[in-house]
Every structure is written in structure tokens, then in C-alpha cells.
């Protein structure tokens, strides 16, 4: 099997012309597409409709190209978009494709991609252990599909999970079921946390005794350093994509990651570059940086109100949401180091990396 | 002479308790204060009143401490505040003090500070060659006060200049005088440009034949790499502070600077650290970074709409002003490299550093 | 002929389920739809993609329903969406349908709808007299289609016109053609002004000698009180919809309008209600208000910075765009009087109603 | 006794020149000033420093004028500023003065003003019954000072109360005391609610059995229709101002108020005008509107997400805070009816007027 990564930019969230051109030119086989990950130029908050707009636009293109319905595309391909291209960030999307075919392993590990979907969860199970376990199962299934046996070879797990909606809450109440919360925003946070614990469980990042509900939001020092979780009303099941390295694949790419201890952790960025053999210490004109195919970052405003001992104002700003602030700052830092502004920077990093920090994962052409 | 640099943080723009405590403790001699440079937590735009609030609060403190009127303080001390602590940036202010006294030079150059004020300019002269020449004269006066003979020893020139106001425009029109613009916002930009050319002229960064009005806003490749200009309705004259190194001073500090070619120029940041003998390549836990006493950065959103070939969305965002975006991004980059969020990051960098870029200046304890 | 007005709300800009249900229930004949006018919940500024998203969603629905391509729908139906549901405003869209069929006139005038498209304009003609004349022709064509002979019977003219884009500007420059502006935002304003003068010319609101380019943006006291113009990169031709009353129609609705002298003009709102025979003076619980089928308002922040002699802060606010401020305020006023928040409130009212004011048009069930 | 009301506008929050001029001209006796109520042009949220800036500026002016310290002014005069002049609203402040002196009552009731301060509350008492009772006592004291015996004659009660701060929370925890919340934002809401119940208790708007903690935030149908409560970190005690009508005063003014059932309640606005004998039904050019001296409005975004059955988007907007939306909309409505934009519009109306609504109070010259 062979995993490919293609990165495209767009004029606006309705512009999928670059992917269309790549398909027409034979550079991307639309039948092989398994996931699309991207940044859109909305605010990344509740009223950000650029994610839905891009999703609709891509489904339209793929449905037409593949002669399928838009619904069928949605059941086959994972679409995960994070809104908010603050600062220097560039709206873009990355298309992950898997070409089937056996490969005689040489022992060299290259990029492996696996996807999985959980069953539909009951509203009352969202944000609870049932949710955690369901995601852990899906991560294991995606690992199996990616033929990754050692969890240490997994470097990035993207989960997109559902949250409570008004309709789902009403249905649950009608049955007498009790929800952990009926507030969609809070439910989204619970889903992210359940996802983080689910990934940590599947990858063995936390021992089984730490996978428990009373740790949610309280034991922020218990986290997955490879999970990137988003949540939204638009999905009904949890969608999981696992990225790692495996000797069963003959991809042109490899992946690495590092946790970021805080929003200033330039050391982590240089460390992941070193993991990939990219030497660019203090020099972002180094040609080796051109090997980077895809960059993913998770971050969050430090809950303490301080970064390295100094006060930040992100939580007090009534004009700009704290998540927009942190994406702009960490995006600026990573972009400066790697000399590229096409970075998937996502906030809301509860239990995803150290508190106040997050993680960075890079996919690069193999050296 | 001996220049000192003290950096303070605050809870809000009315909180000057840290300076008050330092004065009470004898750490800062209030009679020696010549300038205060800072970042306040407003939006940095027209309706940012945090700058005026902090100025009023500091004048109140110093007037009471020195037994002077607030007006007298304003005529003696330069107050320059930039609003906007986007991302990880910390509201803070830096107090520059000069202790008089001769010094037997050892040849070693240390931090030198000079200030100067221009005469009041007529409204019709704002943004014209008369304005440029007036600022150039003031820069030369401040250099002389700082005992810097070689313009190569100047590393940072802060100018705060007036702009046209409704009242000033009316007065000029009544005399039949013609203004370059009656729009306060445009006038502010003209003042910044006149300041940049004035600094460039005084420092010899541009040859005399390039110091001309038709280059304003058009020849963006003609710039000063050491000017940092701000403008506001609250000042009537141009206030100038020159920072450099001079053998006539026995300060504990030195200063260095580098132009930044764009918003991603991490190389410039590492270069200025190297100029100061601070070795922290890829490692922001390096103890030498603790020598930094004060950081100043000038930046702007690239007018082309692209950074390193990729589209940015700063100019199209109707919710967050482009200057707020760029301050957050460049602030995040610099803070990550130097492990400190107390950075004076200012936008509006026309002719102040390369287009789309800007400059960075650092004051540090001498090694 | 018979004109119908159906008003729908949506959960988000991708939700067209209410129209789909109305079509399925036989309440709306999709073949009769000629125009859709609506408010979407974006910011109404350059980076508002909710307009495009709703347009795409409606085209998808109609293409599927009518067995046509999305392109064909776009050439037949006018879609005009204004972003920004500030304050109490409700995202909604109004579907205008025309059922063909002759009608034996009783002399009673009821709602008449006409639409027209201009030819494609050259980029260098945008914002010039050629543009004005082209729109005036289209307004006359739409009036003819609406069988309105007397311009006094026209109460609302919506125009959506193209603006210069980077591509169009490049093409023009390659031919040596000179554009009035290459800046898309300025071009949008020029298109709005050309539209306003075009409508004023066609309706005889301004005498021919006042229809001239040097009045653009300067003679703000020359205006159309029935024009509502929007502009965007997404259209290539000018799309025109005329609403008025005509004895040639047997619609259930009538329309009336009034200019608003400023943002506080509650008198105008009560006047238009009186025009429609709706008695609700000081009482928004009056049942007659239930006759209102559709409300359209044009407004703008007073350029002087004052409303009724008192300062407003809309132009100085760096956090909220002035158009968002004024839509929220005028929307709140109209909604309070008519007890309905489903109002098409649009800003950018240059030469569309008195300066600092605008207009209000209401479609209501005939008494 | 004689109460006076003077309304002033300002260029910015540091501009108190209009009051200074009025004092110099003998129009305002600075010794008689008891309270200042105003709107400043910040965002009205946590990081709005325009309130503190105006307070500091006024204290400076009054301290200099009266030869007192700024602290002494703060202990004598109540300063209540609400940030946010969204839409058409005008930054302004209203100075309430009381001239002493006995008055032979004619039975005619005119404007009466009373102020009171509570003792300092312990942090653990904030938002609890002790807080409610303390405020109720202060309201009764202010009524007594205003010589209002019948609570029905009270039309507006402004309370400004303290909230938990980091320091106060730490002090409480050190003593082992338990806070209702340590989050300043939540604490502010609790203070507003405690204030509303305190006012309702003192005025008899709610029976004693409904004054209880378990009703806080839950029984939103239990409210005061005359309370306007704000909270902030800058005060240590609760400050109370009662406005009503009393035969013991010979003021030139009278006051009236009405609850507003929702954000569209134009009927309430016309009702309060009628209470004052101001006839302006549907006509905001009516000269009688010139009698209005001061307008105060309390409002809030409907928690249900709907206004009169239609969805609003205030709670979902990530770019503009819901309180800013509602102030702009309700401010626009009131300004349109009374033809004046100098309105004290304040959000955060929990238990202050009907849920989703609020109240309006007008002070006017007696007919």
C-alpha cells in the first residue's frame, strides 16, 4: 500500500479548483481519497460556516467525479476542517490517498494511513466512558487497517466526533435518558475530552486506571500527545484517522511528532524537524524544509493566564476569542521555523498535549 | 553617563504600582526617567484608549512623586505606547533612565540614550519634506545628546509624531493653507512615512536624492531599518528617542538590531541574538536569553496578500484588523525564540524595514 | 400574472429544508421562482462566505428539483444575499415567484415583479456612465416585464452588480484599458453608486443632467429612494429585480416604500405602514402587522459622525465594522415597530436614500 | 431639596472638558454632585478600560476643583459607567446633583435622589443572602435619604457592586471560607443577581418567600422591574443610587419607568413617554421629546435564542459579544422613538425586568 499527501490552496471555501485540476491531470486518483484535512478562513467558532461550505463543495466535486451521491462520499471520506487562519496562516486542505497493492517490505517504515468510524452513539453516552471506549476501538481498527502494530509508530490521530444537538437532546429526554450536558458548546468539549482519552487508551499513553470520567477537565496532566480532536453538530458518528509509519507501506512519506509544552515551545518544533532529518536550525531558508508535505499543530491558551511566568490577555479579550489568539501566535511561530504558512493549527486542546501546550506533527518526503 | 532599563508589567492600563514600588525601593530614580515605551492591552486602533489611560496614570504617579504638574512631566518624558497584546504578548512598559555623570571611556561601547523634540509643525507641513527635515534634525540632536557620532552605532529610533486633527485642519483651512490630507487616519500614515524618511536621512540609510515626497508609499524598497514610528492626535510635536551604543557611556546594557525581511524571518531573530552573543539556537531554555532587557519589533501584513508565496487572509478579515493579526503572529514567533512575551510589537511599518517585514531590536545586559 | 412571496428561515446557510418542504408540499412551484432575497448570518463584509454557501445550497436544491444544472439555475434566478444579522435580526430568505397567466384587470394594483440581466460589462466600464446606462436599460426592461408603465408604481429595485477582480483587472490592463479602480472594495462601492444612478435615471428620480460621473460620492444629496444595490465578485453581469404595483397582476400582495432621513427615522416606518393601511401606531401587537410578508431596509452610518447632532462611534470602532453597527441599530428600530425580526437590512447606501439614512420597503398582504 | 441632572458628551474617555466648563460657568456646583452615570465607548466587557479611564479623569477634575484627594471623591460620589456605545449610541455621562435646603411641599412630586453605600462584604458573602440583605438595607437607606416613603415612587435603582477577585478569593481560601464561585465573571453575574433581589426585596416587588438563593438564575420570572445592577472588580462596597419622585423635593424634573417584555417592546417606550405626558406617537420630531433629560435602559439577549418566535444569532456569534448585539438593537429602537442617542443602555439584565426584556426609565423636565 502507498499513502499520498497532496496539499491545495483555495481562493475561498467554495473553490475546489486545484483538486479538480489535479484529478483531471491524473495527479490525484479520486477513488483513492480517504480523508481531507484543512484550514478554512472562518473564525473557527460556532458560527463558522466555512467548514460546512468547503465540505459541501468537495462532496459536490467528488460526487460528480466519481458518479456517486454526496451522501455516499460523506460515508467514505473523512472531512476534518478547522476554521481560523489567523495571522500568517493560509487556507488550504490536504488530501490523503491510499493506493492499494501489496508491498514487499524492506523493513523501512513509511507513511501509513488508516481510517475508521464508530457506530452511532446514544446522546446520553456522549462524553462518557462509552464514548471513550468506542473511540478507542475505532483507533485500534484504524491502526489495524494501517497495519501498525506498535502504538509507538502512531504519530497523529485525528478524531471528529458528534455533540449533543437540540434534537438529540430532546429525543434523549423523551426516553428519560440523562445527558452529561444539553449545551452544544459544552458537549463539544466533552467529545474532545472523550476523544483524547480514547486515543490515549488505544495507544497506551495512559494506563487503564487513568481512563476515567472524573479525570475529565480536572487531570489536565493526563493527556495524549498524539490526539487531535474536533467536534461538531454536523457528524453523527466518530470519524477517526490514524497516521503513522509502517514497514507494510511503500509511501514516499514519513511522519513524526512532538508534544509542545507551551505556546513558546520552539524546541519541540526543532526536535520534530530533527526526527525527520531536516536540518534548519535557525535558518528557515534551508532547502531540506521543502520536504515537508503537511504540518499539524494543536494548541491552547494557557488556562492559568500566564505563559512562561508572564500574563497573557487571551482570556480577557472580549473582541477576539482566545482560540483565535493562540492559533495566530503558535501558527506564527511554527510558520517562521518551517518557512511555510500552510499549517493545520487547531485549538481546543484539552488533554491533547501538555496543558497550555499541545503538539506538532509533520509529514515529510522521506529523505 | 549611565543608561538603565527597567521593565514592568501591569494588571490593567491604570496600574502603575510596579513602577511606584521600584521608585519607593530606590531601584528607579524618578528624576532620571527620560522615556517610557510600552504595550497596552487595547486593540491598537483608533478607538484604543488604553494608551491614553496608561499615559495619564504614569503622569499622575510621576507628578506626585516629583512634585511637578502632569503637564511638566509630559514635556520632559517621552511616552510611547502601542496598543494590542495579541496572542501571547504581555502588557508591559519599559522605563529608560539616564543617570548623569562623566565616565572615563575604556573604548567599550554600551547603551546610549538620547531624546529630542521638534518644534511645533504647521498642519500643512505634516507629511511633507518640512516634516522629514524636522525629524532628521531631531534625530541628529538626540544622537548628539547620546554622544553617538557614527550613525552605525544607532540601533533603534522611536518617533512619535502628531497628525492632522479636525481642529488643526480647520485652522489651516482658515488661513488658506493646503493640507496633504484632512483625514486623521491618512495623516497618521503620512507622519509615519515622514518619520521613516527623516530617520533614514539622519542615519544616512538613504542617500539625499531618495529623500523625497514622491517616494512616499510608492518606493517601499526605500526604508530605514532602525526607525519605529508611531503617530497620534495626542501629541503636538515630534518626540524622538535614539538608542545606540557609545563609548561615552558606562551602562550595563548594549543594543543590537536586524531588519526582518518578512513575517517569517526567524533568521533575523537568531542573527540579532548572535550580535549580542546570546547563544540559543533552537533552544529557548538557554540561560543567556535571561540577559535580554527589552525587545522591540516592527512588522506589517504583506501588502501583496502573500507571505513566502502563500496567500494570507489578514487584509480580508472584517472581524480582526490586519495589524492585530500580524502583531499576534510575529509576536508569537519572537516570543518563541527568546522565551519572553514582553515584546514591544508595533505595526504600521511603512518604509520601516523591508516591505512585508520590519525590524527587531534587542537591549541586553552586556555579556 | 400572479406574484407570490414566501419567507423561510434556516438553521445555518446550508439549510434549505424549509423551501424543500414547501416545494414538496406544493406550496411553492419551483418552476415559478424568479428571485431569492435574504439575510445570512455572516459579517456582511469581504470575508463573508455565508452568502456563497446559501447560494450554492439553493442552487443544489433547485437543480435537483428541476432536473437542471446549477449553472442554468444561476442564469434564471436572481440570488441576492446580504450578510449580517446583527442584533435581533433573523437569518431568512424570501422567495419571489411569478405564476404566468393573463388577468382581467379590475384596476386594482397588486404586486408586480420583473427581472432583467445586463450584458457583460468590460472591466473599464464598471463604475462609469456605461455602467449606469446599462443598469438603467435593465431597470426599464424589468419594468416592462412587470408591466409597470408609471415609474411612480415602482417601490423597490434590487441590483446586484459585478466588481473588478484581480483577473478582470489583469485582462483589462493587458489590453491597455484604464480602470476607474483596481481595488475590489472600491470597485464594489463604484458599482453600488453606478447602480443607484442607473435606477434613479430609469425611474426619473433624478433629471438627466444630474446623471453624471462627477456626482459620484460627492453629491450625496442626489439619490434614488428606491434603489438597493449590492456588489460582489461572484457575478459577471448586473442582475435587476423591480418590485412595484400594477393593475396587470392579480397578486395577493402590495408594496410600499418610504425614504428614511436618518437612522432614527421612526416616522418613515410608521408612514409606510400607513401607506399599506396597517394601523399599529405605538402598538406592535396590532394584528394588522401580521399582513407584512417581507421587509427591506437600506441604511448607512452617517458620514458626518453625528446622528441628530450627537456623536456616534461607528466609524472609529476597530472591533466592529460600521456597517454591522448600523444594521443592528436600524434593524432593532424597524423590528420593534413591526414586531418581526425577519428584515432584509442592507448597508452601503451611497446615493440610495438620503445621506446617513436610506429607505424602507414593505410587501404586505393586500388589506 | 432640589435634584439636578446635567448631561455631557465627550471626545474620548479622558475628556471631561464639558463638565469642567459647566463648573467654571457656574452651571454645576461641584459640591452638590452625588453621582455620575454614563456610557463609554469601550466594548463593555472584561477588557473595557474606558470605564476606569473616565472615572480617573472625573476624579482628577473633581479632586482639583474641590481641593480634595481622588480617594475622597471616590468615597463621596457614585460613578457608574457602562461600556459599549454600539450602533447609534453616544458616549455621554449624566451628573446628578443635590442642592440642600428645605422645601415647603405643595404635594407635587418631583425628582428625588438618594445614595447609600453598604459595608464591605466578605468574599464568601458575595452572591448570597447576606449580599441581598445588605443591598436591600442600602436601598432602604437611600430611599430614606431621598425622602421616598412609598416604594411605588421609586422608578430606578442603580447598584454597583463588587465581585470576587483573585486576591479576595485567596484571602478567603486562606481563612477556610467557601466562595460561591472564584471565577470573576461568574461572580459578577452573582452580584448582579444579588443586587436585583436586594432591590426587589426593598421595594416589595417580590414577597419575602421569593427572596432566596435557589431562585438565582433559575426563576427568571421573579425580577425587579426597577433595578439596574452592574458589577466590577474596581469597587469594594456596594454603591446604591435611588431615583424616584417625592413631594419633599422641588426639582425641575420627574421620572417614570416601564418594564420591557422583550427587545422589541416599543409599546413600553411609548407607555413611559405617556407616563411623562410626552406625546410623540409615531413622530420623533415632536417638541415634547426635548423635555427628556436622561434615558436609562436595561436589556439582554433572549436566552431562548428566539425573539417573538424568530431565531436570533446573538449567542452564536464568535465575533461580536451578545451583549454588544443587544445594546445596539435596543439602543437603536429607543433612540428612534425618542430622537436622542444619549441613552444609558446596559446589558446583563438577569432578574432585572422580564427575561429577554428589561426596563426603560426616563427623567424629564416636568411638564
Amino acid at each position: 500500500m502507498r499513502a499520498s499527501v497532496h496539499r491545495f490552496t483555495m481562493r475561498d471555501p467554495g473553490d475546489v479548483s486545484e483538486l479538480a485540476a489535479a484529478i483531471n491531470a491524473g495527479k490525484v486518483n479520486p477513488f483513492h481519497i480517504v480523508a481531507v484535512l484543512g484550514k478554512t478562513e472562518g473564525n473557527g467558532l460556532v458560527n463558522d460556516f466555512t467548514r460546512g461550505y468547503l465540505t459541501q463543495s468537495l462532496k459536490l466535486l467528488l460526487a460528480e467525479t466519481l458518479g456517486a451521491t454526496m451522501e455516499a462520499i460523506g460515508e467514505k471520506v473523512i472531512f476534518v476542517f478547522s476554521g481560523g487562519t489567523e495571522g500568517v496562516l493560509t487556507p488550504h486542505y490536504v488530501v490523503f490517498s491510499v493506493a492499494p497493492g501489496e508491498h514487499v517490505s524492506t523493513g523501512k517504515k513509511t507513511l501509513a494511513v488508516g481510517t475508521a468510524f464508530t457506530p452511532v452513539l446514544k446522546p446520553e453516552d456522549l462524553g462518557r466512558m462509552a464514548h471513550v471506549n468506542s473511540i478507542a476501538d475505532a483507533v485500534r481498527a484504524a491502526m489495524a487497517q494501517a497495519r501498525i502494530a506498535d502504538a509507538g509508530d502512531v504519530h497523529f490521530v485525528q478524531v471528529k466526533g458528534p455533540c449533543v444537538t437540540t434534537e438529540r437532546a430532546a429525543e434523549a429526554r423523551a426516553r428519560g435518558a440523562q445527558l452529561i450536558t444539553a449545551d452544544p458548546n459544552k458537549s463539544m468539549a466533552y467529545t474532545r475530552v472523550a476523544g483524547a482519552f480514547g486515543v490515549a487508551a488505544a495507544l497506551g499513553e495512559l494506563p487503564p486506571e487513568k481512563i476515567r470520567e472524573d479525570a475529565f477537565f480536572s487531570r489536565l496532566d493526563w493527556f495524549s500527545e498524539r490526539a487531535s480532536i474536533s467536534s461538531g453538530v454536523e457528524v453523527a458518528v466518530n470519524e477517526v484517522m490514524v497516521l503513522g509509519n509502517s514497514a507494510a507501506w511503500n509511501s514516499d512519506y514519513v511522519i513524526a511528532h512532538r508534544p509542545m509544552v507551551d505556546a513558546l515551545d520552539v524546541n519541540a518544533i526543532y526536535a520534530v524537524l530533527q526526527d525527520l532529518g531536516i536540518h534548519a536550525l535557525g535558518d528557515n531558508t534551508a532547502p531540506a524544509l521543502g520536504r515537508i508535505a503537511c504540518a499539524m499543530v494543536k494548541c491552547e491558551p494557557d488556562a492559568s493566564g500566564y505563559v512562561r511566568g508572564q500574563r497573557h490577555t487571551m482570556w480577557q479579550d472580549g473582541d477576539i476569542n482566545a482560540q483565535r489568539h493562540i492559533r495566530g501566535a503558535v501558527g506564527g511561530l511554527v510558520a517562521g521555523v518551517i518557512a511555510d504558512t500552510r499549517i493545520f493549527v487547531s485549538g481546543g486542546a484539552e488533554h491533547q498535549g501538555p496543558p497550555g501546550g499541545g503538539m506538532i506533527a509533520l509529514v515529510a518526503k522521506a529523505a
Side-chain angles (χ1 to χ4, degrees), chain A residues 261-267 302 304 306-312:
Chain A
V261 298
D262 61 17
L264 305 189
D265 193 1
V266 79
N267 296 39
D302 199 296
S304 72
Y306 291 82
V307 175
R308 302 258 172 136
Q310 298 299 334
R311 183 168 73 97
H312 68 77

Side-chain angles (χ1 to χ4, degrees), chain A residues 5 13 53 69 88 95-96 114 149 220 239 245 302 330:
Chain A
V5 178
Y53 189 12
T69 65
V88 295
V95 174
F96 292 88
L220 293 166
E239 308 180 352
N245 298 316
D302 199 296
V330 177

Side-chain angles (χ1 to χ4, degrees), chain A residues 17-302:
Chain A
S17 57
E18 288 196 6
L19 174 57
I23 291 174
N24 286 339
K27 291 178 187 163
V28 171
N29 182 333
F31 289 94
H32 293 174
I33 297 174
V34 297
V36 188
L37 193 74
K39 285 297 299 180
T40 55
E41 56 190 296
N43 61 19
L45 305 170
V46 174
N47 67 324
D48 183 349
F49 304 104
T50 59
R51 299 169 294 213
Y53 189 12
L54 177 57
T55 303
Q56 185 179 77
S57 301
L58 284 167
K59 284 184 180 173
L60 252 171
L61 171 66
L62 293 179
E64 189 173 313
T65 306
L66 299 179
T69 65
M70 290 170 68
E71 289 69 28
I73 300 297
E75 285 163 13
K76 176 178 175 273
V77 180
I78 292 175
F79 296 95
V80 179
F81 301 119
S82 165
T85 52
E86 292 79 12
V88 295
L89 296 174
T90 295
H92 73 286
Y93 55 96
V94 180
V95 174
F96 292 88
S97 306
V98 173
E102 283 310 305
H103 157 61
V104 181
S105 173
T106 64
K108 188 181 155 201
K109 292 179 180 178
T110 62
L111 184 66
V113 178
T115 58
F117 297 79
T118 68
V120 176
L121 285 165
K122 288 187 217 155
E124 61 266 36
D125 287 340
L126 292 176
R128 296 203 176 275
M129 280 308 293
H131 196 173
V132 171
N133 294 332
S134 163
I135 287 173
D137 288 344
V139 172
R140 288 184 201 104
M143 280 176 66
Q145 194 194 64
R147 302 200 194 173
I148 301 176
D150 179 354
D153 283 328
V154 172
H155 290 276
F156 184 75
V157 181
Q158 178 67 45
V159 178
K160 185 170 183 189
C163 64
V164 163
T165 61
T166 314
E167 291 82 1
R168 288 170 191 160
E171 182 272 336
R173 270 192 297 256
R175 285 186 289 105
Q178 192 155 358
L179 299 173
I180 203 163
T181 175
D183 176 332
N185 278 307
K186 286 188 190 158
S187 177
M188 287 170 75
Y190 270 101
T191 289
R192 288 197 298 268
V193 169
F197 277 89
V199 173
L203 300 185
E205 292 178 292
L206 292 175
E209 67 271 20
K210 289 189 174 174
I211 308 292
R212 57 182 210 238
E213 290 181 14
D214 65 356
F216 291 8
F217 298 106
S218 63
R219 291 306 303 260
L220 293 166
D221 53 323
W222 297 356
F223 55 83
S224 165
E225 69 176 44
R226 286 167 279 181
S228 169
I229 321 287
S230 68
S231 178
V233 297
E234 67 273 27
V235 288
V237 302
N238 298 278
E239 308 180 352
V240 172
M241 174 175 67
V242 164
L243 298 182
N245 298 316
S246 164
W249 295 64
N250 63 333
S251 309
D252 290 337
Y253 302 90
V254 288
I255 184 170
H257 86 281
R258 287 278 178 152
M260 291 181 72
V261 298
D262 61 17
L264 305 189
D265 193 1
V266 79
N267 296 39
I269 310 172
Y270 282 113
V272 74
L273 288 178
Q274 187 164 328
D275 292 345
L276 294 164
I278 296 174
H279 303 295
L281 211 55
D283 177 16
N284 70 20
T285 66
L289 288 168
R291 285 173 39 210
I292 297 174
C294 169
M296 292 155 293
V297 173
K298 199 81 191 176
C299 58
E300 65 176 6
D302 199 296

